[in-house]
């Protein structure tokens, strides 16, 4: 293998399943395997890389759900920050698949998780998930849609919109919280494209998305939108998602 041209070596390693990459670091230098992993992900940019999951669609929901009452949002490879070993991902802005609808509910049991994309989960026998926090941490940032509550309405404030950056070990999530009552386009902070963050598409507008109709007979209790704009995941954290849970 050490006699193969570098480009050929990348192609050969690119055929291996993602679950194999952790063990490759014991055989090859870190830089080579990092490049091979990024080569593999870059060559399938049209396929989602990871899924951002709401474990309770009665708190945060997207049009995509499953039988476990979960909702999901897919993220795609965009760029690699080699100095920090971070892979930056973006949602599909073209299909308006970049937000969760935040419900005015007081369930507060759900979690925001990262998992390998659904297609990869079907191929791999073992996978893990990573928690980015509680759904309630997002919900409590919005003002209530109705007066009074039994869950601490005093902690709400009359916000217009706010940027929310979630830092977890090995992950950075850039997002924006927009109340449902807010109309118009919110200016983007140009500085957010710095520090090796990829630029957002020039056509992207930070605003409350066009409404979609839930398939439910219950009243719509949407109090706002959780706009997902960028997510970075370190290579070790990403590969841990494909490691055995035993």
């Amino acid at each position: 293998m050490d006699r193969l041209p570098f480009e050929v070596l990348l192609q050969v390693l690119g055929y291996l399943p993602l679950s194999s990459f952790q063990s490759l670091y014991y055989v090859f230098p870190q830089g080579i395997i990092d490049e091979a992993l990024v080569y593999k992900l870059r060559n399938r940019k049209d396929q989602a890389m990871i899924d951002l999951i709401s474990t309770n669609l009665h708190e945060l929901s997207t049009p995509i759900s499953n039988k476990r009452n979960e909702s999901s949002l897919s993220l795609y490879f965009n760029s690699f920050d080699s100095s920090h070993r971070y892979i930056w991902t973006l949602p599909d802005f073209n299909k308006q698949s970049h937000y969760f609808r935040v419900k005015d509910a007081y369930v507060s049991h759900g979690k925001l998780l990262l998992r390998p994309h659904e297609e990869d989960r079907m191929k791999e026998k073992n996978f893990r998930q990573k928690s980015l926090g509680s759904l309630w941490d997002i919900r409590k940032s919005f003002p209530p849609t109705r007066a009074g509550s039994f869950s601490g309405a005093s902690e709400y404030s009359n916000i217009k919109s706010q940027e929310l950056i979630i830092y977890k070990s090995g992950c950075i999530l850039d997002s924006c919280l927009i109340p449902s009552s807010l109309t118009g386009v919110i200016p983007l902070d140009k500085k957010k494209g710095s520090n090796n963050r990829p630029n957002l598409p020039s056509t992207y507008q930070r605003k409350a998305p066009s409404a979609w109709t839930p398939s439910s007979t219950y009243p719509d209790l949407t109090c706002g939108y959780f706009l997902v704009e960028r997510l970075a995941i370190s290579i070790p954290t990403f590969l841990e998602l494909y490691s055995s849970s035993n």
Side-chain angles (χ1 to χ4, degrees):
M1 294 286 283
D2 56 350
R3 296 182 180 180
L4 290 175
F6 185 62
E7 294 77 10
V8 176
L9 179 60
L10 293 182
Q11 294 179 28
V12 172
L13 296 177
Y15 284 107
L16 297 177
L18 290 168
S19 57
S20 300
F21 274 78
Q22 272 192 327
S23 60
L24 293 177
Y25 285 94
Y26 295 103
V27 181
F28 297 97
Q30 174 181 293
I32 291 180
I33 303 307
D34 282 0
E35 286 290 337
L37 175 62
V38 172
Y39 177 86
K40 181 181 181 70
L41 297 174
R42 184 179 285 120
N43 282 342
R44 56 176 217 172
K45 290 181 68 172
D46 57 339
Q47 178 182 331
M49 187 178 118
I50 46 179
D51 289 338
L52 189 61
I53 307 287
S54 160
T55 63
N56 190 341
L57 56 76
H58 300 295
E59 295 182 78
L60 264 70
S61 65
T62 70
I64 301 175
S65 61
N66 61 28
K67 295 179 180 180
R68 293 175 296 193
N69 287 329
E70 296 176 336
S71 279
S72 63
L73 181 155
S74 295
L75 296 160
Y76 298 78
F77 175 89
N78 179 268
S79 61
F80 177 54
D81 174 9
S82 58
S83 60
H84 299 95
R85 300 185 72 204
Y86 269 110
I87 302 168
W88 282 97
T89 65
L90 298 178
D92 189 343
F93 294 106
N94 293 327
K95 295 182 179 179
Q96 291 288 302
S97 302
H98 66 285
Y99 67 89
F100 288 89
R101 183 189 293 262
V102 183
K103 302 295 188 66
D104 188 15
Y106 302 101
V107 183
S108 68
H109 295 147
K111 299 290 184 182
L112 188 66
L113 304 176
L114 281 179
R115 290 181 190 151
H117 181 55
E118 183 178 9
E119 291 185 15
D120 289 325
R121 297 201 301 269
M122 294 175 64
K123 296 176 184 177
E124 305 284 349
K125 294 181 179 180
N126 298 303
F127 67 88
R128 294 187 179 185
Q129 58 190 23
K130 180 176 179 62
S131 175
L132 298 184
S134 168
L135 299 183
W136 179 246
D137 292 336
I138 298 170
R139 169 62 189 92
K140 68 183 182 182
S141 299
F142 289 92
T145 59
R146 53 183 182 265
S149 79
F150 52 85
S151 190
S154 60
E155 65 181 293
Y156 295 101
S157 58
N158 294 320
I159 61 172
K160 292 184 178 179
S161 69
Q162 60 176 312
E163 293 183 350
L164 174 65
I165 303 178
I166 298 175
Y167 292 98
K168 290 291 180 180
S169 176
C171 291
I172 305 171
L173 175 62
D174 290 344
S175 65
C176 183
L177 307 178
I178 300 181
S180 57
S181 58
L182 186 64
T183 59
V185 178
I186 301 166
L188 291 169
D189 183 357
K190 294 182 179 179
K191 294 181 179 180
K192 285 193 70 178
S194 61
N195 297 324
N196 296 320
R197 281 171 161 81
N199 291 323
L200 298 175
S202 59
T203 55
Y204 173 63
Q205 292 184 321
R206 182 184 282 172
K207 63 180 181 179
S210 301
W212 51 272
T213 303
S215 58
S216 172
T217 57
Y218 295 100
D220 182 13
L221 297 177
T222 300
C223 62
Y225 300 92
F226 174 49
L227 274 59
V228 176
E229 296 181 335
R230 274 177 292 241
L231 182 134
I233 184 168
S234 70
I235 284 182
T237 302
F238 175 67
L239 293 179
E240 284 176 5
L241 298 178
Y242 292 89
S243 62
S244 173
S245 58
N246 295 333

